[in-house]
Amino acid sequence: MSFITVQNVSHIYHAGEEQEHRALSDISLSVEEGEFVAILGTNGSGKSTLARHINGLLLPSSGHVLVDGMDTQETENIWNIRREVGMVFQNPDNQIIAAVVEDDVAFGPENIGMAPDRIRKNVHEALETVGMTHFRSFAPHLLSGGQKQRIAIAGALAMQTKCLVLDEATAMLDPRGRQEVMETIQRLHREAHITILLITHFMEEAVKADRILVLNKGEVFASGTPREIFSQGEALENIGLELPLASRVAGALAGQGIPLTDTILTKEELAAALRELYETR
Amino acid sequence: MAIELQNVSYTYMANTPMERQALSGISLEIQEGSFTAIAGHTGSGKSTLLQHLNGLIHPTNGHVLVDGVDLQPKKKAERRRAKAAAQQVGMVFQYPEQQLFEETVAKDIAFGPQNLGLSEEEIEGRVREAMELMHLDYATFKDVSPFALSGGQMRRVAIAGMLALRPKYLVLDEPTAGLDPRGRRELTETITRLHREEHVTILFVSHNMDDIVRLADRVVVLSKGRLLAYDTPRRVFQQDVLLEEAGLQPPEAFQLAACLREAGIEIPVDTMREEEVVSRVLELFRGRRG
C-alpha cells in the first residue's frame, strides 16, 4: 500500500457561490514511502491545494486522501496524520512562533504532550540533521531565510515526521538559502528515508527528484522520472512551464544540427555529451 | 537627472543595545534612463537602500537626492518640493499583489490617482494607460475582481497601480519572485518594454543573476551594508572573489559555460547568457573561431 493515496479528489472553493472555483478535478495519484516527488505546475494549477490535502488542512469536496492508511476525512485521524506529514510554506517569517530557535523546534512536540526527555532528544537530533545546532539559542529573526526554513523543517523532524511537504519553500530565498534548503531535503530523503513532496517553480530543483508530477488546471498532466518529463519540452512549454537550462541549451544546439540525441538534464551531462562529440568530430 | 546617494549610512535602533548599522557610507548615482539591478545576500542592506529612494526612511547620515532635490529638507518651505521629488520614485514591494484590495481591477489601479485629487476623466485615462503598459487589456480586465486573476496577472495589476501615478523612476523589489516560468518571462518582457519604449528608469532587486545579466546595464552589489561594486553585470560576474565576498553565485548560464570549459569545450570566459552559450558552442563546433 502506498504511503499517500489520492483517490478521485476534487476540490471546489466557494462551492455554490459566485466565485466558485474548481481547483482540483478528479485527481488520483499515489506516493510511495521514501519517495522524493517534485510537483510542477503554473500558478493556479492546483499544486498548493493538493499539498494542503495531504495533511488535512483542506478536505476533498469529493474523493479520498489516505496517508499511511488513514483517511483525512475522519476527524480522529487528523492529529496522527499531521504528525506524519510536516508542511513547510513559502514565507519563512510566517511559520516561526517562538523567541528562541530551540523553543520553536520544540513547539510541536510539546503540543502533543511528548515526554520532556524525548523532546530534548528529538530537538537536539532535528537541529543536528538540518545543520542548525550552532544556532539553537538564537532568536529566529536574526537568521537568514534559508536558516529559518531549515528551522521549520527541524520542527517537523522533531515530531518524527515521515513525510515533508514543501510548498514553494525556496521561492523567497536567495540562491545560497535555496541551496541550503535543497541540500537539507536531499539529505533527509537519502539518509532518513523521509518521503518528500516538493512543490517548486525551479526546474533545476525538480531534476533532483525521483519522480515529477506535473499539474495543469487541476488535473495530473504528466507523471514520470525527470528524464521522461523533461523530454517533452514542447508539451511543458505549452502549459507555461520550461525545461532546465541545460536541457534548453541542448535543445537549441540540437536544433542547429549538433547531434545531441539523449535527453539532457544537467550541466554535467551536457558537458559530457558535447565533449564526446567534440573529440570525435 | 538622477537619483543620487551621497555617503548614505543608516542605523536601525540607534543608541540602543539593538543598534545595527544597515548601510555604511553608500555613494552612487542612478542616471535617468538606466536599467539598474541591485544584488546582495539576505541582510546585505538591499531593502533598507530601497526604502531610502522615495524617502520612506531618511539616512542617519548622508543625503538622498532625486533630480537634485534632497528628500530630507532642512527648511519647512522645502518640504513640498521634497515630497514632489519623492513622488517621482514609484516603489513596488515584494509580492505587491498581497496589497490589492478593491472589487475590480480598474478601481484598484485608480486608488493612487484618486488620492492625487485628479478628475474622473484623467483617472480613467491613467488607469487605461497603466493597464495597457502592463499588457492587461482594458475591456477584458477592468471589471474583473483582482482576486480572480492568476498570480502573474495580479502582480501586473499591482504594478499598474504604481504606473498610474506616472513615476519617472520605477523601483521593483524582486518583481518575479514566486511566479511560474511563463509569468516570469512575460513580466520581464513587459518591464523591458517599459524601459525601452516608455523610457521609465528601472531599478530592481533580484536574486536571479541570469535576469540581471539579461536585463540590467548596471548592477549594484551590496554586502553587509557596504557598496561592493557598481558596474556592468558582465564585469561584476567575472570576479569570483567579489561574488564570494557578497555571498552571490554567478548566473546559471555562466556556471554552465564554466562546466563546458572544464570538459574541454573552450568557449570564452565571459559567456554568461543562455543564447551566448548556444551561439559560442555552435561557433566552436563549426570551427569558425581561430
Side-chain angles (χ1 to χ4, degrees), chain A residues 42-43 90 172 174-176 179 201 203 237-238 240 242 245 248 253 256 267 271 275 278 281, chain B residues 41-42 95 178-180 182 184 207 247 249 252-253 256 260 263 274 278 282 284-286:
Chain A
T42 55
N43 297 113
Q90 190 178 79
M172 294 181 79
D174 60 26
R176 187 188 281 176
Q179 199 179 337
H201 283 316
M203 305 302 141
E237 276 162 27
N238 285 340
E242 64 182 2
L245 174 68
R248 294 202 301 271
L253 290 171
Q256 293 288 322
K267 54 183 195 283
R275 176 187 204 154
Y278 196 57
R281 187 174 56 137
Chain B
H41 191 247
T42 310
Y95 296 84
L179 296 185
D180 59 47
R182 181 185 287 165
R184 280 206 295 269
H207 286 319
Q249 286 168 340
E252 298 276 344
L256 173 62
L260 296 186
E274 186 175 337
V278 173
L282 280 175
L284 198 66
F285 270 76
R286 289 171 181 166

mmCIF file of all heavy atoms in Angstrom, chain A residues 42-43 90 172 174-176 179 201 203 237-238 240 242 245 248 253 256 267 271 275 278 281, chain B residues 41-42 95 178-180 182 184 207 247 249 252-253 256 260 263 274 278 282 284-286:
data_model
loop_
_atom_site.group_PDB
_atom_site.id
_atom_site.type_symbol
_atom_site.label_atom_id
_atom_site.label_comp_id
_atom_site.label_asym_id
_atom_site.label_seq_id
_atom_site.Cartn_x
_atom_site.Cartn_y
_atom_site.Cartn_z
ATOM 1 N N THR A 42 1.876 25.605 -13.253
ATOM 2 C CA THR A 42 1.865 27.069 -13.224
ATOM 3 C C THR A 42 1.108 27.564 -11.994
ATOM 4 O O THR A 42 0.469 26.781 -11.303
ATOM 5 C CB THR A 42 1.164 27.630 -14.474
ATOM 6 O OG1 THR A 42 -0.127 27.027 -14.522
ATOM 7 C CG2 THR A 42 1.924 27.291 -15.734
ATOM 8 N N ASN A 43 1.164 28.882 -11.755
ATOM 9 C CA ASN A 43 0.339 29.478 -10.708
ATOM 10 C C ASN A 43 -1.110 29.131 -11.043
ATOM 11 O O ASN A 43 -1.537 29.313 -12.180
ATOM 12 C CB ASN A 43 0.498 31.011 -10.685
ATOM 13 C CG ASN A 43 1.923 31.444 -10.364
ATOM 14 O OD1 ASN A 43 2.607 32.002 -11.194
ATOM 15 N ND2 ASN A 43 2.379 31.164 -9.163
ATOM 16 N N GLN A 90 5.870 28.840 2.006
ATOM 17 C CA GLN A 90 6.733 29.734 1.242
ATOM 18 C C GLN A 90 7.422 30.789 2.102
ATOM 19 O O GLN A 90 8.622 31.007 1.988
ATOM 20 C CB GLN A 90 5.868 30.424 0.182
ATOM 21 C CG GLN A 90 6.656 31.194 -0.829
ATOM 22 C CD GLN A 90 5.747 31.815 -1.879
ATOM 23 O OE1 GLN A 90 5.119 32.845 -1.663
ATOM 24 N NE2 GLN A 90 5.648 31.186 -3.012
ATOM 25 N N MET A 172 11.178 32.362 -1.768
ATOM 26 C CA MET A 172 11.543 33.687 -1.249
ATOM 27 C C MET A 172 13.009 33.763 -0.818
ATOM 28 O O MET A 172 13.429 34.745 -0.224
ATOM 29 C CB MET A 172 10.636 34.044 -0.062
ATOM 30 C CG MET A 172 9.185 34.222 -0.489
ATOM 31 S SD MET A 172 8.091 34.654 0.859
ATOM 32 C CE MET A 172 8.428 36.402 1.021
ATOM 33 N N ASP A 174 17.293 33.629 -1.177
ATOM 34 C CA ASP A 174 18.358 33.958 -2.116
ATOM 35 C C ASP A 174 19.042 32.641 -2.531
ATOM 36 O O ASP A 174 18.772 31.592 -1.960
ATOM 37 C CB ASP A 174 19.314 35.001 -1.529
ATOM 38 C CG ASP A 174 19.977 34.542 -0.258
ATOM 39 O OD1 ASP A 174 20.123 33.327 -0.063
ATOM 40 O OD2 ASP A 174 20.351 35.393 0.556
ATOM 41 N N PRO A 175 19.920 32.701 -3.554
ATOM 42 C CA PRO A 175 20.486 31.447 -4.084
ATOM 43 C C PRO A 175 21.155 30.594 -3.001
ATOM 44 O O PRO A 175 21.011 29.373 -2.995
ATOM 45 C CB PRO A 175 21.517 31.941 -5.100
ATOM 46 C CG PRO A 175 21.004 33.265 -5.543
ATOM 47 C CD PRO A 175 20.345 33.862 -4.336
ATOM 48 N N ARG A 176 21.854 31.225 -2.074
ATOM 49 C CA ARG A 176 22.529 30.457 -1.036
ATOM 50 C C ARG A 176 21.500 29.751 -0.148
ATOM 51 O O ARG A 176 21.654 28.586 0.194
ATOM 52 C CB ARG A 176 23.406 31.385 -0.190
ATOM 53 C CG ARG A 176 24.271 30.634 0.788
ATOM 54 C CD ARG A 176 24.973 31.591 1.733
ATOM 55 N NE ARG A 176 26.131 32.223 1.116
ATOM 56 C CZ ARG A 176 26.858 33.168 1.726
ATOM 57 N NH1 ARG A 176 26.518 33.601 2.929
ATOM 58 N NH2 ARG A 176 27.912 33.682 1.143
ATOM 59 N N GLN A 179 19.992 26.782 -1.916
ATOM 60 C CA GLN A 179 20.918 25.653 -1.934
ATOM 61 C C GLN A 179 20.920 24.936 -0.579
ATOM 62 O O GLN A 179 20.885 23.706 -0.524
ATOM 63 C CB GLN A 179 22.306 26.178 -2.270
ATOM 64 C CG GLN A 179 23.244 25.114 -2.772
ATOM 65 C CD GLN A 179 24.603 25.699 -3.102
ATOM 66 O OE1 GLN A 179 24.740 26.898 -3.370
ATOM 67 N NE2 GLN A 179 25.618 24.871 -3.073
ATOM 68 N N HIS A 201 8.787 26.071 -8.563
ATOM 69 C CA HIS A 201 8.797 26.655 -9.905
ATOM 70 C C HIS A 201 10.184 26.571 -10.514
ATOM 71 O O HIS A 201 10.420 27.071 -11.612
ATOM 72 C CB HIS A 201 8.412 28.143 -9.848
ATOM 73 C CG HIS A 201 6.945 28.364 -9.682
ATOM 74 N ND1 HIS A 201 6.017 27.660 -10.388
ATOM 75 C CD2 HIS A 201 6.254 29.216 -8.907
ATOM 76 C CE1 HIS A 201 4.804 28.076 -10.042
ATOM 77 N NE2 HIS A 201 4.928 29.008 -9.139
ATOM 78 N N MET A 203 12.936 24.460 -12.158
ATOM 79 C CA MET A 203 13.117 23.167 -12.833
ATOM 80 C C MET A 203 14.388 22.473 -12.350
ATOM 81 O O MET A 203 14.451 21.251 -12.272
ATOM 82 C CB MET A 203 13.186 23.373 -14.355
ATOM 83 C CG MET A 203 11.989 24.122 -14.908
ATOM 84 S SD MET A 203 10.408 23.304 -14.560
ATOM 85 C CE MET A 203 9.380 24.720 -14.199
ATOM 86 N N GLU A 237 6.183 23.557 -22.347
ATOM 87 C CA GLU A 237 6.118 24.977 -22.681
ATOM 88 C C GLU A 237 4.690 25.407 -22.982
ATOM 89 O O GLU A 237 4.282 26.509 -22.628
ATOM 90 C CB GLU A 237 7.052 25.299 -23.849
ATOM 91 C CG GLU A 237 8.483 25.535 -23.368
ATOM 92 C CD GLU A 237 9.525 25.432 -24.473
ATOM 93 O OE1 GLU A 237 9.173 25.685 -25.642
ATOM 94 O OE2 GLU A 237 10.681 25.085 -24.139
ATOM 95 N N ASN A 238 3.932 24.529 -23.620
ATOM 96 C CA ASN A 238 2.545 24.859 -23.927
ATOM 97 C C ASN A 238 1.700 25.121 -22.693
ATOM 98 O O ASN A 238 0.728 25.863 -22.752
ATOM 99 C CB ASN A 238 1.894 23.727 -24.739
ATOM 100 C CG ASN A 238 2.377 23.739 -26.172
ATOM 101 O OD1 ASN A 238 2.877 24.763 -26.651
ATOM 102 N ND2 ASN A 238 2.260 22.609 -26.846
ATOM 103 N N GLY A 240 2.959 26.498 -19.988
ATOM 104 C CA GLY A 240 3.571 27.597 -19.230
ATOM 105 C C GLY A 240 4.767 27.209 -18.388
ATOM 106 O O GLY A 240 5.245 28.000 -17.587
ATOM 107 N N GLU A 242 8.838 25.348 -18.260
ATOM 108 C CA GLU A 242 10.019 25.401 -19.110
ATOM 109 C C GLU A 242 10.899 24.211 -18.779
ATOM 110 O O GLU A 242 10.642 23.468 -17.843
ATOM 111 C CB GLU A 242 10.781 26.717 -18.882
ATOM 112 C CG GLU A 242 11.319 26.844 -17.471
ATOM 113 C CD GLU A 242 12.034 28.157 -17.200
ATOM 114 O OE1 GLU A 242 12.085 29.006 -18.093
ATOM 115 O OE2 GLU A 242 12.536 28.299 -16.083
ATOM 116 N N LEU A 245 17.840 24.743 -17.619
ATOM 117 C CA LEU A 245 18.745 25.461 -18.520
ATOM 118 C C LEU A 245 19.537 24.522 -19.437
ATOM 119 O O LEU A 245 19.592 24.731 -20.652
ATOM 120 C CB LEU A 245 19.710 26.324 -17.680
ATOM 121 C CG LEU A 245 20.809 27.025 -18.472
ATOM 122 C CD1 LEU A 245 20.249 28.110 -19.370
ATOM 123 C CD2 LEU A 245 21.847 27.619 -17.516
ATOM 124 N N ARG A 248 17.460 23.189 -22.170
ATOM 125 C CA ARG A 248 17.118 24.216 -23.174
ATOM 126 C C ARG A 248 18.290 24.438 -24.125
ATOM 127 O O ARG A 248 18.115 24.516 -25.340
ATOM 128 C CB ARG A 248 16.770 25.551 -22.492
ATOM 129 C CG ARG A 248 15.513 25.528 -21.663
ATOM 130 C CD ARG A 248 14.951 26.936 -21.477
ATOM 131 N NE ARG A 248 15.868 27.855 -20.822
ATOM 132 C CZ ARG A 248 15.950 28.023 -19.501
ATOM 133 N NH1 ARG A 248 15.182 27.324 -18.705
ATOM 134 N NH2 ARG A 248 16.797 28.897 -18.990
ATOM 135 N N LEU A 253 20.945 23.603 -29.383
ATOM 136 C CA LEU A 253 22.090 23.097 -30.146
ATOM 137 C C LEU A 253 21.645 21.993 -31.102
ATOM 138 O O LEU A 253 22.060 21.970 -32.272
ATOM 139 C CB LEU A 253 23.172 22.564 -29.196
ATOM 140 C CG LEU A 253 23.920 23.637 -28.381
ATOM 141 C CD1 LEU A 253 24.797 22.982 -27.323
ATOM 142 C CD2 LEU A 253 24.753 24.532 -29.292
ATOM 143 N N GLN A 256 20.191 23.189 -34.147
ATOM 144 C CA GLN A 256 21.157 23.765 -35.089
ATOM 145 C C GLN A 256 22.076 22.686 -35.662
ATOM 146 O O GLN A 256 23.147 22.994 -36.186
ATOM 147 C CB GLN A 256 22.002 24.829 -34.375
ATOM 148 C CG GLN A 256 21.225 26.053 -33.957
ATOM 149 C CD GLN A 256 20.832 26.919 -35.140
ATOM 150 O OE1 GLN A 256 21.594 27.081 -36.086
ATOM 151 N NE2 GLN A 256 19.630 27.471 -35.095
ATOM 152 N N LYS A 267 24.073 20.337 -16.274
ATOM 153 C CA LYS A 267 25.206 20.895 -17.000
ATOM 154 C C LYS A 267 26.314 19.859 -17.178
ATOM 155 O O LYS A 267 26.982 19.834 -18.207
ATOM 156 C CB LYS A 267 25.725 22.180 -16.336
ATOM 157 C CG LYS A 267 26.084 22.113 -14.868
ATOM 158 C CD LYS A 267 26.497 23.521 -14.405
ATOM 159 C CE LYS A 267 27.217 23.522 -13.071
ATOM 160 N NZ LYS A 267 26.330 23.360 -11.916
ATOM 161 N N ALA A 271 27.980 18.773 -20.675
ATOM 162 C CA ALA A 271 29.426 18.850 -20.872
ATOM 163 C C ALA A 271 29.960 17.510 -21.387
ATOM 164 O O ALA A 271 30.739 17.472 -22.343
ATOM 165 C CB ALA A 271 30.115 19.241 -19.565
ATOM 166 N N ARG A 275 31.545 16.966 -25.065
ATOM 167 C CA ARG A 275 32.945 16.581 -25.106
ATOM 168 C C ARG A 275 33.134 15.398 -26.052
ATOM 169 O O ARG A 275 34.037 15.387 -26.887
ATOM 170 C CB ARG A 275 33.394 16.203 -23.690
ATOM 171 C CG ARG A 275 34.804 15.696 -23.650
ATOM 172 C CD ARG A 275 35.137 15.190 -22.274
ATOM 173 N NE ARG A 275 36.563 15.245 -22.073
ATOM 174 C CZ ARG A 275 37.131 15.354 -20.887
ATOM 175 N NH1 ARG A 275 36.404 15.445 -19.812
ATOM 176 N NH2 ARG A 275 38.439 15.382 -20.785
ATOM 177 N N TYR A 278 32.770 16.515 -29.522
ATOM 178 C CA TYR A 278 33.845 17.425 -29.911
ATOM 179 C C TYR A 278 35.103 16.635 -30.240
ATOM 180 O O TYR A 278 35.816 16.941 -31.196
ATOM 181 C CB TYR A 278 34.106 18.393 -28.749
ATOM 182 C CG TYR A 278 34.904 19.617 -29.138
ATOM 183 C CD1 TYR A 278 34.451 20.461 -30.139
ATOM 184 C CD2 TYR A 278 36.094 19.922 -28.487
ATOM 185 C CE1 TYR A 278 35.176 21.585 -30.492
ATOM 186 C CE2 TYR A 278 36.823 21.047 -28.834
ATOM 187 C CZ TYR A 278 36.353 21.876 -29.845
ATOM 188 O OH TYR A 278 37.058 22.986 -30.183
ATOM 189 N N ARG A 281 34.813 14.589 -33.539
ATOM 190 C CA ARG A 281 34.347 15.434 -34.630
ATOM 191 C C ARG A 281 35.175 15.211 -35.895
ATOM 192 O O ARG A 281 36.385 15.019 -35.840
ATOM 193 C CB ARG A 281 34.457 16.881 -34.146
ATOM 194 C CG ARG A 281 33.913 17.918 -34.988
ATOM 195 C CD ARG A 281 34.025 19.227 -34.226
ATOM 196 N NE ARG A 281 35.437 19.449 -33.834
ATOM 197 C CZ ARG A 281 36.043 20.620 -33.943
ATOM 198 N NH1 ARG A 281 35.409 21.650 -34.405
ATOM 199 N NH2 ARG A 281 37.292 20.764 -33.569
ATOM 200 N N HIS B 41 23.194 39.368 -0.754
ATOM 201 C CA HIS B 41 22.720 38.289 0.097
ATOM 202 C C HIS B 41 21.651 38.844 1.043
ATOM 203 O O HIS B 41 21.593 40.051 1.257
ATOM 204 C CB HIS B 41 23.946 37.805 0.882
ATOM 205 C CG HIS B 41 23.731 36.548 1.612
ATOM 206 N ND1 HIS B 41 23.725 36.489 2.977
ATOM 207 C CD2 HIS B 41 23.534 35.297 1.158
ATOM 208 C CE1 HIS B 41 23.515 35.233 3.327
ATOM 209 N NE2 HIS B 41 23.408 34.505 2.252
ATOM 210 N N THR B 42 20.808 37.969 1.611
ATOM 211 C CA THR B 42 19.835 38.400 2.614
ATOM 212 C C THR B 42 20.568 39.161 3.723
ATOM 213 O O THR B 42 21.604 38.702 4.193
ATOM 214 C CB THR B 42 19.146 37.165 3.237
ATOM 215 O OG1 THR B 42 18.693 36.338 2.180
ATOM 216 C CG2 THR B 42 17.977 37.573 4.109
ATOM 217 N N TYR B 95 5.942 40.818 -3.561
ATOM 218 C CA TYR B 95 4.581 40.269 -3.528
ATOM 219 C C TYR B 95 3.533 41.390 -3.445
ATOM 220 O O TYR B 95 2.706 41.404 -2.542
ATOM 221 C CB TYR B 95 4.410 39.281 -2.371
ATOM 222 C CG TYR B 95 5.279 38.070 -2.518
ATOM 223 C CD1 TYR B 95 6.598 38.087 -2.107
ATOM 224 C CD2 TYR B 95 4.787 36.915 -3.118
ATOM 225 C CE1 TYR B 95 7.420 36.976 -2.282
ATOM 226 C CE2 TYR B 95 5.596 35.798 -3.286
ATOM 227 C CZ TYR B 95 6.909 35.834 -2.865
ATOM 228 O OH TYR B 95 7.710 34.742 -3.039
ATOM 229 N N GLY B 178 8.329 34.024 -7.027
ATOM 230 C CA GLY B 178 7.106 33.240 -6.831
ATOM 231 C C GLY B 178 6.262 33.057 -8.081
ATOM 232 O O GLY B 178 5.239 32.392 -8.022
ATOM 233 N N LEU B 179 6.672 33.655 -9.205
ATOM 234 C CA LEU B 179 5.886 33.464 -10.431
ATOM 235 C C LEU B 179 6.360 32.201 -11.146
ATOM 236 O O LEU B 179 7.516 31.799 -11.032
ATOM 237 C CB LEU B 179 6.046 34.662 -11.370
ATOM 238 C CG LEU B 179 5.515 36.003 -10.875
ATOM 239 C CD1 LEU B 179 5.648 37.043 -11.987
ATOM 240 C CD2 LEU B 179 4.065 35.892 -10.438
ATOM 241 N N ASP B 180 5.455 31.588 -11.938
ATOM 242 C CA ASP B 180 5.863 30.424 -12.714
ATOM 243 C C ASP B 180 6.689 30.904 -13.911
ATOM 244 O O ASP B 180 6.750 32.099 -14.186
ATOM 245 C CB ASP B 180 4.639 29.593 -13.113
ATOM 246 C CG ASP B 180 3.639 30.381 -13.922
ATOM 247 O OD1 ASP B 180 4.047 31.076 -14.874
ATOM 248 O OD2 ASP B 180 2.442 30.316 -13.618
ATOM 249 N N ARG B 182 6.382 31.031 -17.135
ATOM 250 C CA ARG B 182 5.757 31.907 -18.130
ATOM 251 C C ARG B 182 5.513 33.293 -17.539
ATOM 252 O O ARG B 182 5.792 34.299 -18.174
ATOM 253 C CB ARG B 182 4.438 31.303 -18.615
ATOM 254 C CG ARG B 182 3.755 32.166 -19.666
ATOM 255 C CD ARG B 182 2.391 31.611 -20.035
ATOM 256 N NE ARG B 182 2.513 30.413 -20.853
ATOM 257 C CZ ARG B 182 1.507 29.560 -21.074
ATOM 258 N NH1 ARG B 182 0.334 29.769 -20.513
ATOM 259 N NH2 ARG B 182 1.684 28.515 -21.839
ATOM 260 N N ARG B 184 7.151 34.730 -15.167
ATOM 261 C CA ARG B 184 8.447 35.408 -15.045
ATOM 262 C C ARG B 184 8.856 36.009 -16.373
ATOM 263 O O ARG B 184 9.266 37.165 -16.454
ATOM 264 C CB ARG B 184 9.538 34.394 -14.641
ATOM 265 C CG ARG B 184 9.571 34.048 -13.182
ATOM 266 C CD ARG B 184 10.964 33.588 -12.742
ATOM 267 N NE ARG B 184 11.423 32.360 -13.336
ATOM 268 C CZ ARG B 184 11.237 31.148 -12.812
ATOM 269 N NH1 ARG B 184 10.595 31.011 -11.672
ATOM 270 N NH2 ARG B 184 11.715 30.085 -13.402
ATOM 271 N N HIS B 207 17.309 38.138 -7.025
ATOM 272 C CA HIS B 207 18.211 37.060 -6.628
ATOM 273 C C HIS B 207 18.593 36.235 -7.843
ATOM 274 O O HIS B 207 19.340 35.284 -7.734
ATOM 275 C CB HIS B 207 17.524 36.130 -5.617
ATOM 276 C CG HIS B 207 17.391 36.727 -4.259
ATOM 277 N ND1 HIS B 207 18.401 37.452 -3.683
ATOM 278 C CD2 HIS B 207 16.388 36.706 -3.356
ATOM 279 C CE1 HIS B 207 18.007 37.852 -2.479
ATOM 280 N NE2 HIS B 207 16.784 37.422 -2.271
ATOM 281 N N GLY B 247 28.533 36.766 -1.200
ATOM 282 C CA GLY B 247 27.671 35.596 -0.985
ATOM 283 C C GLY B 247 26.769 35.330 -2.176
ATOM 284 O O GLY B 247 25.673 34.813 -2.041
ATOM 285 N N GLN B 249 26.246 33.865 -6.323
ATOM 286 C CA GLN B 249 26.777 32.933 -7.301
ATOM 287 C C GLN B 249 26.603 33.551 -8.672
ATOM 288 O O GLN B 249 25.654 34.287 -8.896
ATOM 289 C CB GLN B 249 26.007 31.614 -7.247
ATOM 290 C CG GLN B 249 26.378 30.808 -6.021
ATOM 291 C CD GLN B 249 25.427 29.643 -5.798
ATOM 292 O OE1 GLN B 249 24.323 29.632 -6.314
ATOM 293 N NE2 GLN B 249 25.872 28.687 -5.018
ATOM 294 N N GLU B 252 23.434 31.119 -13.796
ATOM 295 C CA GLU B 252 23.420 29.686 -14.142
ATOM 296 C C GLU B 252 24.107 29.444 -15.488
ATOM 297 O O GLU B 252 24.843 28.474 -15.650
ATOM 298 C CB GLU B 252 21.972 29.185 -14.245
ATOM 299 C CG GLU B 252 21.168 29.272 -12.965
ATOM 300 C CD GLU B 252 21.380 28.081 -12.041
ATOM 301 O OE1 GLU B 252 21.910 27.058 -12.515
ATOM 302 O OE2 GLU B 252 21.029 28.191 -10.856
ATOM 303 N N ALA B 253 23.833 30.342 -16.445
ATOM 304 C CA ALA B 253 24.410 30.159 -17.777
ATOM 305 C C ALA B 253 25.932 30.278 -17.723
ATOM 306 O O ALA B 253 26.652 29.586 -18.441
ATOM 307 C CB ALA B 253 23.820 31.169 -18.755
ATOM 308 N N LEU B 256 27.134 27.055 -16.319
ATOM 309 C CA LEU B 256 27.061 26.030 -17.359
ATOM 310 C C LEU B 256 28.262 26.163 -18.294
ATOM 311 O O LEU B 256 28.927 25.188 -18.627
ATOM 312 C CB LEU B 256 25.749 26.173 -18.133
ATOM 313 C CG LEU B 256 25.562 25.302 -19.378
ATOM 314 C CD1 LEU B 256 25.573 23.828 -19.020
ATOM 315 C CD2 LEU B 256 24.258 25.633 -20.083
ATOM 316 N N LEU B 260 31.296 23.504 -19.179
ATOM 317 C CA LEU B 260 31.663 23.080 -20.532
ATOM 318 C C LEU B 260 33.161 23.287 -20.768
ATOM 319 O O LEU B 260 33.827 22.440 -21.364
ATOM 320 C CB LEU B 260 30.863 23.870 -21.589
ATOM 321 C CG LEU B 260 29.343 23.680 -21.594
ATOM 322 C CD1 LEU B 260 28.716 24.394 -22.780
ATOM 323 C CD2 LEU B 260 28.968 22.202 -21.618
ATOM 324 N N ALA B 263 35.251 20.634 -19.463
ATOM 325 C CA ALA B 263 35.200 19.425 -20.283
ATOM 326 C C ALA B 263 35.929 19.629 -21.615
ATOM 327 O O ALA B 263 35.841 18.790 -22.505
ATOM 328 C CB ALA B 263 33.754 19.025 -20.524
ATOM 329 N N GLU B 274 22.279 32.604 -21.774
ATOM 330 C CA GLU B 274 21.875 31.343 -22.396
ATOM 331 C C GLU B 274 22.152 31.345 -23.912
ATOM 332 O O GLU B 274 22.740 30.408 -24.442
ATOM 333 C CB GLU B 274 20.386 31.131 -22.111
ATOM 334 C CG GLU B 274 19.867 29.803 -22.564
ATOM 335 C CD GLU B 274 18.406 29.612 -22.146
ATOM 336 O OE1 GLU B 274 17.958 30.266 -21.176
ATOM 337 O OE2 GLU B 274 17.721 28.818 -22.786
ATOM 338 N N VAL B 278 24.786 28.955 -26.378
ATOM 339 C CA VAL B 278 24.393 28.253 -27.600
ATOM 340 C C VAL B 278 25.229 28.737 -28.785
ATOM 341 O O VAL B 278 25.856 27.938 -29.485
ATOM 342 C CB VAL B 278 22.885 28.460 -27.894
ATOM 343 C CG1 VAL B 278 22.514 27.866 -29.245
ATOM 344 C CG2 VAL B 278 22.045 27.849 -26.780
ATOM 345 N N LEU B 282 28.158 26.610 -30.874
ATOM 346 C CA LEU B 282 27.967 26.382 -32.314
ATOM 347 C C LEU B 282 29.167 26.861 -33.112
ATOM 348 O O LEU B 282 29.675 26.162 -33.982
ATOM 349 C CB LEU B 282 26.705 27.116 -32.796
ATOM 350 C CG LEU B 282 25.370 26.430 -32.514
ATOM 351 C CD1 LEU B 282 24.231 27.329 -32.949
ATOM 352 C CD2 LEU B 282 25.303 25.080 -33.229
ATOM 353 N N LEU B 284 32.173 27.151 -32.154
ATOM 354 C CA LEU B 284 33.295 26.267 -31.902
ATOM 355 C C LEU B 284 33.176 24.990 -32.727
ATOM 356 O O LEU B 284 34.127 24.532 -33.352
ATOM 357 C CB LEU B 284 33.320 25.935 -30.408
ATOM 358 C CG LEU B 284 34.607 25.394 -29.838
ATOM 359 C CD1 LEU B 284 35.689 26.449 -29.908
ATOM 360 C CD2 LEU B 284 34.381 24.995 -28.379
ATOM 361 N N PHE B 285 31.964 24.408 -32.753
ATOM 362 C CA PHE B 285 31.761 23.161 -33.483
ATOM 363 C C PHE B 285 31.875 23.373 -34.987
ATOM 364 O O PHE B 285 32.257 22.475 -35.719
ATOM 365 C CB PHE B 285 30.394 22.550 -33.139
ATOM 366 C CG PHE B 285 30.470 21.625 -31.962
ATOM 367 C CD1 PHE B 285 30.562 22.132 -30.679
ATOM 368 C CD2 PHE B 285 30.480 20.253 -32.128
ATOM 369 C CE1 PHE B 285 30.647 21.282 -29.597
ATOM 370 C CE2 PHE B 285 30.566 19.393 -31.046
ATOM 371 C CZ PHE B 285 30.650 19.912 -29.778
ATOM 372 N N ARG B 286 31.504 24.557 -35.418
ATOM 373 C CA ARG B 286 31.591 24.805 -36.860
ATOM 374 C C ARG B 286 32.963 25.323 -37.247
ATOM 375 O O ARG B 286 33.214 25.624 -38.395
ATOM 376 C CB ARG B 286 30.516 25.804 -37.276
ATOM 377 C CG ARG B 286 29.145 25.160 -37.200
ATOM 378 C CD ARG B 286 28.059 26.180 -37.402
ATOM 379 N NE ARG B 286 26.760 25.528 -37.304
ATOM 380 C CZ ARG B 286 25.622 26.177 -37.174
ATOM 381 N NH1 ARG B 286 25.621 27.504 -37.137
ATOM 382 N NH2 ARG B 286 24.491 25.520 -37.087
#
